Amino acid sequence: MSTAVNRAINPIKSSFHWAHRNLFRSPIDSVITLTLCAFITWFIPPLFDWFILQATFTGEGNEQCVNDGACWIFVREFLPQFIFGFYPEESRWRLVTAVIIVIAFIGIRIVFKKKVHKFFTLTLIVSYPIIAFILLYGGVFGLAVIETHQWGGLFLTLVIATVGIAGAFPLGVALALGRQSNLPVIRAFCRLFIELWRGVPLITVLFMASVMLPLFLPQGLDIDKLLRVLICIMLFASAYLAEVIRGGLQSIPSGQQEAATALGLNYWHTMRYVVLPQALQNVIPGIVNTFIGLFKDTTLVLIVGLFDFLGIVQAAATNPQWLGHAIEGYIFAAFIFWCFCFSMSRFSLRLEQRSHLKEKPMTQPS
Amino acid sequence: MNTSNNIITFDQVNKWYGDLHVLKDIDLSISKGEKWVICGPSGSGKSTLIRCINKLETYQSGQLQVNAKVPQQVGMLFQQFNLFPHLSVLENCTLAPMRVNGRNQQSAIDIAMHYLTRVNIAEKAHQYPHQLSGGQQQRVALARALAMEPEIMLFDEPTSALDPEMIKEVLDAMMELADSGITMVCVTHEMGFARQVADHVIFMDQGSIIETAQPIDFFDNPQHPRTQKFLKQILPY
Ligand SMILES: Nc1ncnc2c1ncn2[C@@H]1O[C@H](COP(=O)(O)OP(=O)(O)OP(=O)(O)O)[C@@H](O)[C@H]1O
Ligand SMILES: [Mg+2]
């Protein structure tokens, strides 16, 4: 209370106090503070210069970029390509529609909260993959077929990440449960699967899928390259996820399962309603961490000739008419990746806070 | 003894944990509606014995017959309550009636509220377990078990994790339940409860049933020296 009064009466004095308390508490603190200040004054102005003051924002061609700073026209010029890849321009509305459906659904959930009927949610979640596939790939309802080798850019990155996450999650849960199964065969299989996928680098897996696998497949049977990559990333992430979720399962005291069994709940009900909700809640940070890792790993598909967001940026940077702007491209790519990853981590924080478990420690001893 | 009336029958049941012989030739017949109290020193196999009744433990030899119609008609209360912390009190009590007995939500809520009222905790229905005291949690656990309308209730030291001032509220709820004609098997060291409610008291030591008696005889005239020693330890006067 007294600090609030102080601040009102004498803001200079109280800010001096604040600085003393937080920045110059000890000699070491003072040294660190001063060093950082020096570093910032030395470092920030040139950056600011490059990003804004000396940068070129308007104009048409590469020739306009005569200043020393960044050439943001480059990013603006290629933005549609960064986002949509080589997806034909006249069909891009289909991608936009697919995204709008998701945003509209989330919007409805936020506005109407619990009033949204479970049935509606479930229907949409089940039917969305089909709707999205029809929109993206086409082939029915008079929509032109757009082959997956034309997919690219941020759009492809998002497709890989979403399919990867949506597939890896149920698979990870199943593997984690399988590793604790009473049946030795299932237990051994899940362990083997997890260790196998965790033991090899993703790049190797992608190479195998795109180069080696076709050699083993019978002639004429050709699985879409993107599909192969999707399956690989999904399986890869599911192995990591399984280990995270297993940690969560182990954190649940055995009394929970005993109580559920004593009430007559069968194994699946016990997992579905008692153990998994708590176990997943306990490892939300680990799960989201895995998803963020997966999201960034999508850039590796470049290796097998798919042009994800980063791949397109890289390709644009080597465009002969726009040489010398790779840095702007990479910075832009980094910024977009950061936005997505940061939103994921904020989302995970919200999920965590929503938990009733975390409000207070459990009174139940484990 | 009239065997047709037996609801739980142990016949030469033996159990081992590796080399450890935890149940030795257990013979026991419990009739419908009877109240049994099991006591004995720590590690004597009391928990193991009653956990065999609802199949939380297996045994290696002998026979155990439970004549409840379906397994979920054996309810159980644990020392650590074991409420589901992510579910509200009401949801704790409606989960099994809905998922196991196939009740619809409304009928599950009705029966849950009925038993929550009976154990005097209906006003906490929408709170979460961590917001309740130990005694309140144990009463919720009792309501949760009763909502399945069991024929047999098992209790494994339901009051020994509670502070003294909360023990009475749980014992009161259990005594009230005893009047309803349900079969009760109760591991407890609450001798007042045993005297008042039990039809029979069992004393176990090192995996064997040492003595079975009516409460009056058991407390005032124990036959076996080990029983006498045990009673001296827990009943100082
Ligand atoms: N899962 C297990 N694995 C190995 N030994 C066990 C296991 N559970 C119990 N035991 C052993 O079996 C014996 C009987 O245990 P039990 O829990 O039935 O005793 P209790 O009479 O209930 O004791 P308490 O009064 O301490 O609860 C003990 O010696 C215990 O160490
Ligand atoms: Mg015990």
Side-chain angles (χ1 to χ4, degrees):
Chain A
M1 192 173 108
S2 68
T3 42
V5 175
N6 257 348
R7 197 164 291 163
I9 296 168
N10 193 343
I12 297 171
K13 193 172 163 204
S14 73
S15 63
F16 178 79
H17 271 301
W18 179 88
H20 181 76
R21 246 201 338 269
N22 293 294
L23 301 176
F24 300 100
R25 199 172 209 151
S26 69
I28 293 182
D29 278 0
S30 307
V31 170
I32 293 174
T33 302
L34 289 175
T35 319
L36 280 176
C37 281
F39 188 71
I40 288 169
T41 47
W42 170 71
F43 198 65
I44 293 291
L47 271 184
F48 190 70
D49 239 25
W50 187 84
F51 269 92
I52 312 231
L53 292 182
Q54 300 280 322
T56 316
F57 291 93
T58 53
E60 280 308 309
N62 196 11
E63 315 79 50
Q64 306 274 333
C65 289
V66 286
N67 295 337
D68 288 340
C71 180
W72 296 122
I73 320 173
F74 166 72
V75 172
R76 205 193 58 205
E77 183 72 20
F78 282 95
L79 195 59
Q81 242 191 60
F82 288 171
I83 295 174
F84 297 109
F86 311 114
Y87 208 83
E89 237 165 284
E90 67 278 5
S91 297
R92 286 179 185 170
W93 64 268
R94 285 155 54 173
L95 308 186
V96 177
T97 314
V99 173
I100 285 176
I101 293 176
V102 175
I103 294 174
F105 174 66
I106 294 173
I108 290 172
R109 289 286 307 235
I110 290 174
V111 175
F112 295 102
K113 301 236 163 63
K114 288 231 159 130
K115 271 182 245 153
V116 183
H117 202 279
K118 249 192 202 159
F119 181 72
F120 171 73
T121 310
L122 219 67
T123 317
L124 200 91
I125 289 177
V126 171
S127 60
Y128 186 75
I130 303 164
I131 298 173
F133 180 78
I134 291 172
L135 279 169
L136 267 51
Y137 188 77
V140 277
F141 306 129
L143 295 173
V145 172
I146 294 170
E147 293 291 345
T148 54
H149 62 80
Q150 286 175 286
W151 298 16
L154 185 60
F155 149 63
L156 181 65
T157 298
L158 290 180
V159 166
I160 298 173
T162 342
V163 175
I165 288 172
F169 186 71
L171 211 60
V173 171
L175 284 169
L177 291 177
R179 256 197 96 153
Q180 308 209 315
S181 164
N182 287 330
L183 303 170
V185 183
I186 296 184
R187 215 166 44 223
F189 173 79
C190 292
R191 259 194 86 167
L192 190 74
F193 183 93
I194 292 169
E195 297 301 344
L196 218 65
W197 285 92
R198 282 203 314 168
V200 285
L202 182 56
I203 293 198
T204 323
V205 177
L206 291 176
F207 253 129
M208 292 280 276
S210 70
V211 183
M212 304 281 286
L213 193 65
L215 302 180
F216 298 121
L217 286 177
Q219 196 91 60
L221 179 66
D222 180 36
I223 305 174
D224 187 272
K225 179 151 75 175
L226 178 60
L227 186 63
R228 276 178 276 156
V229 164
L230 281 177
I231 290 173
C232 281
I233 289 190
M234 201 160 85
L235 297 179
F236 190 80
S238 74
Y240 278 89
L241 211 54
E243 287 299 281
V244 173
I245 294 172
R246 189 166 69 98
L249 290 174
Q250 282 172 344
S251 72
I252 306 303
S254 62
Q256 291 288 305
Q257 214 161 330
E258 285 172 4
T261 311
L263 285 167
L265 291 162
N266 64 26
Y267 174 81
W268 295 109
H269 281 156
T270 303
M271 289 301 140
R272 164 79 181 75
Y273 298 106
V274 177
V275 176
L276 276 176
Q278 300 181 59
L280 295 177
Q281 190 80 57
N282 287 354
V283 292
I284 287 173
I287 292 175
V288 174
N289 204 23
T290 311
F291 286 163
I292 288 177
L294 182 150
F295 187 75
K296 292 194 289 189
D297 278 350
T298 57
T299 52
L300 292 175
V301 300
L302 182 65
I303 302 276
V304 296
L306 291 173
F307 283 88
D308 76 311
F309 182 49
L310 193 66
I312 293 268
V313 169
Q314 209 165 8
T318 53
N319 185 317
Q321 286 172 3
W322 288 89
L323 284 177
H325 298 303
I327 294 184
E328 287 90 329
Y330 285 133
I331 286 175
F332 178 69
F335 175 70
I336 297 295
F337 270 101
W338 181 83
C339 286
F340 275 99
C341 295
F342 184 68
S343 350
M344 279 198 252
S345 82
R346 297 303 301 185
F347 181 66
S348 111
L349 212 62
R350 260 200 50 195
L351 280 182
E352 268 177 80
Q353 284 163 348
R354 217 175 54 177
S355 131
H356 299 284
L357 292 169
K358 298 284 157 70
E359 284 166 15
K360 264 196 216 168
M362 273 193 282
T363 26
Q364 280 183 295
S366 47
Chain B
M1 194 179 267
N2 179 8
T3 47
S4 70
N5 212 14
N6 284 355
I7 193 164
I8 303 169
T9 317
F10 282 76
D11 182 13
Q12 294 288 303
V13 169
N14 279 279
K15 177 176 178 66
W16 288 264
Y17 280 119
D19 290 338
L20 188 66
H21 200 171
V22 282
L23 293 181
K24 296 175 187 160
D25 294 336
I26 301 292
D27 276 319
L28 189 62
S29 314
I30 296 177
S31 300
K32 212 171 158 87
E34 283 184 327
K35 327 289 175 226
W36 288 67
V37 163
I38 304 174
C39 60
S42 179
S44 55
K46 310 178 296 290
S47 300
T48 313
L49 179 83
I50 69 164
R51 287 159 63 92
C52 282
I53 298 175
N54 69 346
K55 300 198 176 73
L56 283 180
E57 300 282 359
T58 55
Y59 48 91
Q60 277 86 35
S61 78
Q63 270 200 335
L64 165 56
Q65 220 174 352
V66 179
N67 286 335
K69 283 184 214 83
V70 273
Q72 56 266 30
Q73 287 187 315
V74 184
M76 183 161 182
L77 232 59
F78 301 84
Q79 188 174 354
Q80 306 295 352
F81 329 138
N82 291 347
L83 291 180
F84 306 135
H86 61 302
L87 299 178
S88 71
V89 164
L90 186 59
E91 288 164 341
N92 261 280
C93 298
T94 56
L95 179 63
M98 282 168 74
R99 302 298 159 192
V100 180
N101 290 352
R103 286 175 183 270
N104 64 29
Q105 192 175 15
Q106 192 52 51
S107 109
I109 290 177
D110 289 344
I111 193 162
M113 287 312 291
H114 171 76
Y115 284 106
L116 285 170
T117 312
R118 212 167 126 183
V119 299
N120 268 321
I121 194 118
E123 76 278 5
K124 303 278 186 191
H126 296 287
Q127 307 224 294
Y128 282 83
H130 67 74
Q131 296 167 312
L132 307 183
S133 73
Q136 291 170 330
Q137 290 193 43
Q138 194 61 298
R139 282 185 286 146
V140 171
L142 182 58
R144 177 177 74 174
L146 293 179
M148 292 300 287
E149 312 206 285
E151 283 179 45
I152 304 168
M153 271 301 296
L154 311 174
F155 298 83
D156 191 356
E157 308 199 32
T159 55
S160 54
L162 295 175
D163 293 336
E165 72 271 20
M166 296 174 192
I167 291 179
K168 189 175 174 310
E169 64 186 60
V170 172
L171 289 181
D172 283 349
M174 286 167 61
M175 285 191 196
E176 205 245 23
L177 176 68
D179 294 337
S180 74
I182 197 171
T183 311
M184 286 168 71
V185 183
C186 189
V187 175
T188 185
H189 293 152
E190 294 297 333
M191 291 309 154
F193 174 82
R195 261 179 208 275
Q196 211 172 327
V197 172
D199 299 310
H200 304 274
V201 182
I202 296 174
F203 176 71
M204 281 186 81
D205 194 16
Q206 296 179 358
S208 308
I209 295 179
I210 303 286
E211 186 162 350
T212 307
Q214 313 249 310
I216 306 173
D217 299 332
F218 184 84
F219 292 112
D220 300 340
N221 188 16
Q223 299 298 309
H224 200 284
R226 273 195 265 175
T227 318
Q228 293 162 1
K229 191 168 158 239
F230 176 74
L231 285 175
K232 269 207 199 87
Q233 280 166 350
I234 61 165
L235 302 170
Y237 306 109

